[in-house]
Amino acid sequence: MTNPAVPAPPPQSATAPSGRMLNEDEQALRAAFVALRSEISKAVVGQDSAVTGLIISLIAGGHTLLEGVPGVAKTLLVRTLATALDLKMTRIQFTPDLMPADVTGSLVWDSGKSAFEFRRGPVFTNLLLADEINRTPPKTQSSLLEAMEEHQVSVDGQSHRLDDPFMVIATQNPVEYEGTYPLPEAQLDRFLMKITLDLPPRDAEIAVVSKHQHGFNPLALTQAGITAVAGPEEIRTAREHAQRIDVQPAIIEYIVDLVRATRNSPSVRLGVSPRGATALLQASKVWAFLQGRGFVTPDDVKGVAVPVLAHRIGMKAEADLEGLTAQAIVEGILSQVPVPR
């Protein structure tokens, strides 16, 4: 697996050898999210696995960290996703001088009421694009922890609920580290997936340039024909259906064995936590749903294991010096841990 992202879903008519298949209502809902992929492809070319990963995270109720060099359509991908789902989107450019209140909001004196009033920050949205999140100090990074985990922010002892659905999509540049603050393990563990956007292959890059030659404007997505194919209600319903996907005890044991194996690797200083195991379970269930099945198979777990687990692994210094990556650790574990039959 060269790119830590999930593969593209199979056609809608995909079937499984045995087990419960989705009913008619579930298939209609699934079709909406298959159409979502097609809608996004009108603007974003050559990033199919990243699109799938974002859809899985959204249905699973998780958050996503996008990593890629400048110019591979990270921001365009998020903007197109918001347009195709009729969701509110807010973008925050993370900088060294950004303060926590710039994200969550703050108390402002209302002279008319002679009282302090809470002014909501940009975190009160559906899709929050945290652009270059590793360029802001840890104090500001940590302002997102409560929002990501509990879907609320607390200011002056008062809790304020966030919108539903709510998803943080953070970006970072993998090649420019000067002036950055690496995300701590606690922050990384809040992301359901970390997805790498690679440079597109030649044919995809030709398609991108050709789109611009024919007048494509990434700042005018509705003019490019992007329309909403689903919305907040479909997302909430899909989450309910995904929760009902069957998972056999042997699959749960397989997930736990994979996670525990990361802790026993001699190259790892910090293995995947139980939160990572539950994240792998949720992502596997959504992946099964998108494939038209009502049950999880070992291949579902394998399909999402790298983007769900790799960013949660802390490598030993000597392993980094040898060029060993967390992705390679997960891939090795997938080849070694016995698969349930």
Side-chain angles (χ1 to χ4, degrees):
M1 208 175 200
T2 58
N3 182 12
V6 293
Q12 187 174 348
S13 60
T15 59
S18 62
R20 183 183 78 85
M21 303 305 294
L22 301 184
N23 60 36
E24 186 174 341
D25 290 340
E26 290 171 327
Q27 285 287 6
L29 186 62
R30 171 186 174 269
F33 288 95
V34 173
L36 175 61
R37 288 177 47 82
S38 300
E39 202 66 22
I40 294 175
S41 69
K42 294 179 182 179
V44 181
V45 180
Q47 301 293 356
D48 291 344
S49 60
V51 172
T52 302
L54 284 176
I55 294 173
I56 289 176
S57 291
L58 185 65
I59 297 177
H63 311 281
T64 302
L65 178 61
L66 298 179
E67 185 173 85
V69 298
V72 291
K74 297 188 294 295
T75 302
L76 176 61
L77 174 56
V78 181
R79 292 182 59 248
T80 307
L81 178 67
T83 302
L85 286 172
D86 194 24
L87 296 177
K88 294 183 295 181
M89 176 207 155
T90 303
R91 175 179 176 272
I92 304 176
Q93 183 64 50
F94 278 69
T95 57
D97 59 349
L98 193 73
M99 300 297 292
D102 297 328
V103 177
T104 61
S106 59
L107 293 175
V108 178
W109 178 255
D110 187 329
S111 58
K113 298 178 181 179
S114 296
F116 283 101
E117 186 178 76
F118 177 66
R119 181 170 295 173
R120 290 155 52 117
V123 74
F124 288 87
T125 186
N126 296 128
L127 297 182
L128 177 65
L129 175 58
D131 213 358
E132 296 189 287
I133 190 173
N134 58 333
R135 290 201 173 277
T136 201
K139 182 178 180 180
T140 305
Q141 291 177 7
S142 65
S143 66
L144 282 175
L145 289 179
E146 182 185 13
M148 294 172 70
E149 185 67 18
E150 303 177 32
H151 289 200
Q152 68 177 28
V153 296
S154 297
V155 177
D156 196 33
Q158 294 292 321
S159 297
H160 304 270
R161 295 298 300 175
L162 299 177
D163 297 349
D164 181 31
F166 171 71
M167 180 183 182
V168 173
I169 305 174
T171 71
Q172 64 180 17
N173 184 342
V175 296
E176 190 177 350
Y177 293 107
E178 185 176 351
T180 62
Y181 304 84
L183 297 180
E185 282 81 1
Q187 183 91 27
L188 287 171
D189 206 31
R190 277 359 187 245
F191 288 100
L192 180 77
M193 288 186 173
K194 177 183 175 183
I195 299 173
T196 298
L197 278 74
D198 292 328
L199 291 170
R202 183 176 183 272
D203 57 344
E205 194 162 1
I206 290 174
V208 169
V209 177
S210 297
K211 276 181 176 291
H212 284 264
Q213 165 63 16
H214 290 92
F216 172 70
N217 182 358
L219 300 179
L221 294 177
T222 54
Q223 295 179 15
I226 309 298
T227 58
V229 296
E233 187 59 36
E234 285 79 11
I235 295 170
R236 288 189 284 267
T237 305
R239 288 176 179 176
E240 295 173 0
H241 286 304
Q243 284 298 319
R244 295 199 290 266
I245 297 294
D246 296 331
V247 184
Q248 295 296 315
I251 297 294
I252 293 178
E253 293 174 9
Y254 180 53
I255 289 173
V256 171
D257 288 341
L258 290 174
V259 167
R260 293 179 67 85
T262 66
R263 305 169 196 163
N264 298 325
S265 171
S267 301
V268 172
R269 62 171 175 81
L270 179 67
V272 178
S273 70
R275 179 190 280 130
T278 61
L280 183 55
L281 171 66
Q282 294 302 322
S284 300
K285 291 166 71 173
V286 176
W287 181 227
F289 170 77
L290 290 175
Q291 294 186 88
R293 281 183 282 99
F295 62 97
V296 174
T297 69
D299 283 341
D300 296 326
V301 178
K302 287 184 174 183
V304 297
V306 171
V308 171
L309 299 182
H311 66 285
R312 305 172 193 270
I313 294 175
M315 303 294 294
K316 291 182 178 178
E318 53 268 30
D320 284 331
L321 292 174
E322 294 172 0
L324 188 61
T325 64
Q327 178 181 339
I329 292 291
V330 176
E331 290 173 343
I333 289 171
L334 289 173
S335 66
Q336 296 168 7
V337 174
V339 178
R341 302 183 66 177

